[in-house]
Amino acid sequence: MENNNTMGLIFSGNPEVNLGELMKVRSLAAVPVGGRYRIIDFMLSNMVNSGIVNVGITTGYKHRSLSDHLGSGKAWDMARKQNGLFILSPPEGLEFATRPTEGVDFIDSAMSYLQRSRQEYVMLSDCNTICNIDFDEVIKFHFEKEADITVVCTEVGELTPKELGKHIMLECEDDGRVTDIQVYPKKQNSKLSYMHIFFIKKDFLIDLVGECLSHDRHSISRDILLANVDKRRIFGYKFDGYRKKIDSIKSFYQFNLELLDSGVRHEVFGVDETRSIHTKVKDSVPTKYGRDAEVKNSFVADGCCIEGTVENSIIFRGVKIGKNSVVKNSIVMQNSRIMDDCWVENAIFDKEVILCNGKKLVGQTTYPLCIGKRTIV
């Protein structure tokens, strides 16, 4: 059922996130995950599954891969005469900016899109929060609480100082009313972490963005949310399902390997077609397994040729793994080739990497080895 009064806005990048080699040739949203998906697929699918059929995707200056992946939006049933999927232009002067471009700047760059859309409310989200959430429940909660802004949060355990420095923590009353927001605090006073998703009336958002820019303020968390805690009714909707924020090579690696757990897969990909994760469809031949091939607890996509051993790994489309080669606890992206007699462990291979005969590459579980696109080793 379509949610005709809510539109979506997804930020395809985040200046605070650096995935190293994986983001040299593409935006954060376009980074491949899970054997056949891109990071953007999860949040976009959540919106489509919740009936939000007018969605804008903000872009930076590395958006060619993202635009190619999204296309007309047909894979998400978003190729429509009315509403649909919109890939928005980057903020002017982005490449030459003297400061990092922040969330308010990206909303401002989407202003004409917001103003011409007929919907009255907006669901805004970062692209790199991985979860399977029903936004209908968030919207219902918003109106029940008569909120001005509803932020989505999740409960976390005790965080180390380093982990805490990546979280925006909320303090809420029993009814969900947010009383304080701590942006990357030094001390943990709460167990509720903001998931970088919020729901707001469109006209109110436009007014807030205008006010921020007129005072040279550019942060969503500080200048829209924190600045209005005492002025407006901000409520926190608590999400209890699986959630992963991909903000580093380590978290990217962890998420991919966590997908090998059936419980995580069940939560991330949904229990039925109404909550499934959609992606661009590519038809290819089935994977071919050699006589001595051995595969344990792994995802192997279509079009591969496996002649060696694969264990606890994610193997994307078109990958070739040679004879007597071993791949363990690794992520090997599309069309990469691992030749004969190789050993790969705790590693991430971007697309079209070639590992020559007899090579051994071993990273650490806490800091996997990452090989850039089209590298020959």
Side-chain angles (χ1 to χ4, degrees):
M1 181 175 169
E2 293 186 9
N3 192 326
N4 293 319
N5 208 26
T6 300
M7 61 188 296
L9 187 65
I10 303 176
F11 303 105
S12 72
N14 187 326
E16 298 174 356
V17 175
N18 182 10
L19 300 187
E21 292 287 342
L22 302 181
M23 287 179 61
K24 275 192 173 180
V25 295
R26 58 174 74 90
S27 64
L28 173 63
V31 173
V33 290
R36 60 191 295 261
Y37 300 91
R38 304 287 184 119
I39 286 176
I40 189 70
D41 292 340
F42 296 87
M43 195 52 64
L44 179 55
S45 295
N46 286 330
M47 290 196 176
V48 172
N49 292 339
S50 302
I52 300 173
V53 294
N54 179 17
V55 179
I57 312 287
T58 70
T59 60
Y61 60 90
K62 291 182 182 177
H63 65 271
R64 188 176 70 176
S65 179
L66 177 63
S67 299
D68 177 66
H69 176 69
L70 294 173
S72 66
K74 183 179 179 181
W76 297 268
D77 191 26
M78 296 283 276
R80 297 163 178 255
K81 290 182 179 180
Q82 292 185 340
N83 298 314
L85 183 66
F86 297 86
I87 301 173
L88 307 174
S89 300
E92 290 185 14
L94 177 61
E95 294 183 64
F96 309 102
T98 56
R99 61 168 180 79
T101 307
E102 299 186 69
V104 171
D105 302 308
F106 281 105
I107 298 174
D108 183 54
S109 71
M111 195 57 68
S112 62
Y113 163 68
L114 290 170
Q115 290 171 337
R116 72 172 181 262
S117 295
R118 297 179 179 178
Q119 287 78 11
E120 192 177 355
Y121 292 88
V122 193
M123 187 73 71
L124 299 97
S125 174
D126 279 358
C127 67
N128 60 321
T129 299
I130 306 294
C131 62
N132 195 318
I133 182 171
D134 186 351
F135 285 128
D136 284 333
E137 295 298 317
V138 179
I139 295 168
K140 180 181 177 183
F141 175 88
H142 178 88
F143 289 114
E144 285 177 352
K145 300 298 182 181
E146 298 180 347
D148 294 314
I149 304 173
T150 294
V151 296
V152 179
C153 57
T154 188
E155 189 167 329
V156 295
E158 293 296 325
L159 301 172
T160 66
K162 186 175 181 180
E163 291 171 335
L164 193 58
K166 294 183 176 182
H167 286 258
I168 296 172
M169 307 303 292
L170 310 178
E171 291 190 22
C172 298
E173 296 176 348
D174 292 341
D175 65 349
R177 177 79 180 262
V178 177
T179 57
D180 192 23
I181 298 176
Q182 297 143 24
V183 182
Y184 311 132
K186 301 292 184 183
K187 182 181 178 182
Q188 186 173 354
N189 298 314
S190 168
K191 290 190 175 181
L192 290 178
S193 174
Y194 171 51
M195 288 175 57
H196 298 267
I197 303 168
F198 70 101
F199 182 71
I200 187 171
K201 194 169 186 177
K202 183 176 70 175
D203 290 344
F204 182 36
L205 175 68
I206 291 171
D207 289 343
L208 289 174
V209 169
E211 185 179 335
C212 285
L213 293 177
S214 66
H215 293 88
D216 196 25
R217 297 170 183 161
H218 304 271
S219 168
I220 290 176
S221 54
R222 291 186 176 90
D223 303 321
I224 288 183
L225 301 179
L226 176 57
N228 284 284
V229 165
D230 297 326
K231 301 175 185 176
R232 297 288 186 165
R233 291 173 60 83
I234 300 180
F235 280 77
Y237 173 88
K238 185 179 174 185
F239 175 70
D240 294 322
Y242 174 89
R243 169 254 190 193
K244 191 80 171 184
K245 184 180 179 184
I246 298 180
D247 56 6
S248 64
I249 286 290
K250 182 179 178 181
S251 59
F252 171 84
Y253 178 73
Q254 287 174 338
F255 169 66
N256 277 275
L257 296 191
E258 283 170 8
L259 288 177
L260 298 175
D261 182 292
S262 60
V264 172
R265 287 201 305 276
H266 182 79
E267 286 204 52
V268 170
F269 293 111
V271 295
D272 55 45
E273 291 185 0
T274 64
R275 302 301 315 161
S276 61
I277 303 300
H278 312 283
T279 191
K280 182 180 180 180
V281 177
K282 292 183 179 179
D283 296 325
S284 56
V285 299
T287 289
K288 178 182 177 182
Y289 295 92
R291 184 173 295 177
D292 299 320
E294 187 175 355
V295 178
K296 299 178 182 177
N297 190 38
S298 297
F299 275 180
V300 180
D302 296 338
C304 297
C305 180
I306 310 295
E307 296 188 280
T309 298
V310 179
E311 186 175 335
N312 300 326
S313 295
I314 304 287
I315 309 298
F316 283 66
R317 296 182 178 99
V319 170
K320 295 185 178 181
I321 298 176
K323 295 178 181 178
N324 301 318
S325 287
V326 176
V327 178
K328 286 187 174 183
N329 306 320
S330 295
I331 301 154
V332 184
M333 294 188 193
Q334 191 169 328
N335 296 328
S336 290
R337 295 188 177 190
I338 297 171
M339 301 301 188
D340 299 342
D341 303 308
C342 294
W343 187 285
V344 178
E345 189 169 357
N346 303 327
I348 301 168
F349 283 20
D350 204 335
K351 289 184 176 183
E352 300 172 30
V353 170
I354 297 176
L355 184 63
C356 297
N357 290 332
K359 299 295 183 182
K360 183 176 183 180
L361 293 179
V362 179
Q364 303 295 319
T365 54
T366 53
Y367 197 85
L369 190 64
C370 188
I371 309 297
K373 186 175 180 179
R374 297 196 180 104
T375 301
I376 298 175
V377 181

